Each structure stands twice: as C-alpha cells, then as structure tokens.
C-alpha cells in the first residue's frame, strides 16, 4: 500500500538555526498537509497546500514557517530561526481529494536545544 | 469552529474483552468524522471514517464506530481486543468546507493479559 514517507525520523537542531523537514506524499495525491504534536498535547493543524499554493493555515503557521513543493515528489516544511517551543513531532499528510481521508507519515521528531 | 472531546485519557481492558472509546464533537456545520490509531513509534493510521450514509461504520482490525448526530458522538468499539491493539486512538473531525482535521487529545488503550 502506498505510504507517506518523512525524513529524517529525528532532527536535533540548535535554537536559532533553520531546519527543513521533508515529506514524500503518496504519488497521485493532490492535497498536502503539515501537522505537529507537542509532547503530551493534541495533534494540531499547521497548513494545507494545493496546486502549488497554501490553501489554509492556522495561527501557529506564522512568518517563521514556510512550505514548498520543490519538485514533483517532495513537500517540505521550513522553520526559520527555531525556538525551544518548536520542539514537537511533525506529521506530513496527503489526500487524493479535499474531502478524502488524509494519510499520515510516521513523523519527524524535532528537538531544539 | 469544531472541537473534539475524548473523555478518557487511558482505558485498561482485559484481552478478549469488549472496549468502547468515547468521542464527542462540537460543530455548527456538517462534518466528517475519523478515528486514527498511533502504534508505538509509528505515525497516524486511519482506522475508519464517516463521510455520509450509514451511521455504523466498519474499519480495519475489527473496529467499528457509530455516528450519532443527536448526541454528537462517534464512539469507537471492538467486541474483543487483542494485545496488538495496544496503541493511542485519536478521534478527529473535519468540517466539509475545511482542509484541516481537528484532533482529540487521544485515548491510550492498555490491554491487560
């Protein structure tokens, strides 16, 4: 069964540095998403992306964050000038259509030191 | 806005016993409902979904859920659990006009031998 893959599985970064989290969505999917889960808290929506632009974003997704689909297969989340509170598990998801279920990757655990 | 309440943070159940994980949602618009499961050190896997039609939804691994609009509930059930069902279970809701999924806090299912 096709899967969403995320790399790396664990990223450790110094506070203030930039980090890029990578995702390869399921190949025929058109909608892409990022979520995060701070330890002990709910999974929270960050952003959705369709047709090479952001279609919806949460208040968490401020100017520190950006997303990109640099080629036909990758979908990236960039976090500039990381803060301690950015430490979380980041999940990528994709869906074939807007109202179809989202399929999630295994996540990238981001640790900011 | 939508919200999801999972009433139990942890549920211990003996192996081969039935289980019900409770979920209530709040929304002023029509929604889709989901249950996701997260096994240890893995990502979120879709268990089942309610999009429309029959209110009793069957999913993978013998799980089912019933959509009750009057009680705004979407409880998850399994008639006989196995040790392999040990995981965290997330109820989630999405407005039909939205991209994002709103997750509950999760219920950790402990299977007792």
């Amino acid at each position: 069964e096709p899967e969403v893959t995320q790399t790396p599985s664990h990223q450790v970064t110094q506070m203030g540095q930039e980090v890029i989290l990578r995702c390869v969505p399921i190949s025929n999917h058109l909608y892409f998403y990022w979520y995060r889960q701070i330890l002990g808290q709910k999974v929270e929506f960050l952003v959705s992306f369709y047709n090479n632009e952001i279609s919806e974003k949460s208040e968490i997704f401020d100017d520190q964050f950006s997303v990109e689909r640099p080629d036909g297969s990758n979908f990236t989340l960039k976090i500039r000038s990381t803060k301690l509170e950015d430490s979380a598990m980041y999940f990528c998801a994709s869906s074939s259509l807007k109202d179809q279920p989202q399929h999630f990757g295994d996540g990238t655990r981001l640790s900011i030191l | 806005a939508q919200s999801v309440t999972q009433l139990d943070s942890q549920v211990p159940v003996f192996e081969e016993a039935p289980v019900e994980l409770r979920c209530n949602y709040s929304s002023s618009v029509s929604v889709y409902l989901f249950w996701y499961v997260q096994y240890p050190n893995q990502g979120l896997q879709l268990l089942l979904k309610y999009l429309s039609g029959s209110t009793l939804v069957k999913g993978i691994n013998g799980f089912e859920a019933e959509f009750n609009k009057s009680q705004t509930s979407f409880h998850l059930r399994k008639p006989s659990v196995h040790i392999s069902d040990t995981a965290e279970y997330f109820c989630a809701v999405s407005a039909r006009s939205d991209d994002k999924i709103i997750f509950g806090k999760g219920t950790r299912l402990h299977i007792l031998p």
Side-chain angles (χ1 to χ4, degrees):
Chain A
E1 187 176 326
E3 291 182 341
V4 175
T5 56
Q6 290 185 243
T7 55
S9 57
H10 191 190
Q11 173 80 46
V12 181
T13 301
Q14 291 288 330
M15 186 171 61
Q17 297 296 306
E18 175 182 286
V19 66
I20 296 177
L21 309 182
R22 302 180 192 279
C23 169
V24 178
I26 294 173
S27 64
N28 63 345
H29 284 187
L30 301 176
Y31 291 81
F32 314 114
Y33 313 84
W34 283 101
Y35 292 79
R36 78 172 184 191
Q37 184 181 29
I38 294 172
L39 189 63
Q41 298 186 23
K42 292 184 181 185
V43 177
E44 302 171 289
F45 170 79
L46 292 177
V47 66
S48 59
F49 191 86
Y50 169 70
N51 200 26
N52 282 320
E53 61 183 28
I54 291 173
S55 54
E56 189 175 347
K57 61 182 182 178
S58 71
E59 60 263 22
I60 301 169
F61 195 88
D62 59 21
D63 292 343
Q64 184 194 6
F65 294 89
S66 62
V67 289
E68 192 179 29
R69 188 154 163 83
D71 52 43
S73 60
N74 290 283
F75 179 52
T76 62
L77 174 69
K78 183 189 290 185
I79 309 175
R80 287 180 284 276
S81 189
T82 49
K83 299 176 264 196
L84 293 176
E85 53 264 39
D86 294 326
S87 294
M89 181 74 90
Y90 287 81
F91 291 105
C92 174
S94 69
S95 63
S96 55
L97 297 171
K98 182 172 178 173
D99 60 354
Q100 290 301 304
Q102 297 176 20
H103 296 262
F104 286 75
D106 284 348
T108 293
R109 183 170 297 285
L110 177 64
S111 299
I112 306 300
L113 304 179
Chain B
Q2 294 75 46
S3 67
V4 178
T5 302
Q6 291 184 246
L7 297 167
D8 305 299
S9 58
Q10 294 190 58
V11 172
V13 184
F14 285 104
E15 199 168 11
E16 298 184 13
V19 69
E20 178 179 84
L21 305 183
R22 297 180 292 170
C23 172
N24 288 90
Y25 70 93
S26 171
S27 177
S28 57
V29 299
S30 295
V31 296
Y32 302 128
L33 293 157
F34 311 91
W35 276 97
Y36 283 86
V37 59
Q38 187 176 30
Y39 297 105
N41 301 313
Q42 293 187 28
L44 296 164
Q45 182 181 0
L46 181 68
L47 261 185
L48 49 79
K49 59 187 182 290
Y50 172 77
L51 302 180
S52 65
S54 172
T55 56
L56 183 62
V57 180
K58 293 189 183 298
I60 61 171
N61 302 339
F63 284 93
E64 64 180 33
E66 184 151 21
F67 170 55
N68 188 320
K69 190 174 181 180
S70 63
Q71 296 186 4
T72 60
S73 67
F74 191 56
H75 301 330
L76 181 71
R77 301 185 185 100
K78 185 169 182 177
S80 175
V81 296
H82 300 112
I83 197 77
S84 58
D85 293 322
T86 298
E88 186 138 24
Y89 292 79
F90 294 92
C91 182
V93 65
S94 175
R96 296 189 179 207
S97 58
D98 278 356
D99 295 348
K100 64 181 178 290
I101 294 176
I102 307 297
F103 286 86
K105 280 193 159 184
T107 297
R108 193 169 295 276
L109 181 60
H110 290 287
I111 308 301
L112 307 171

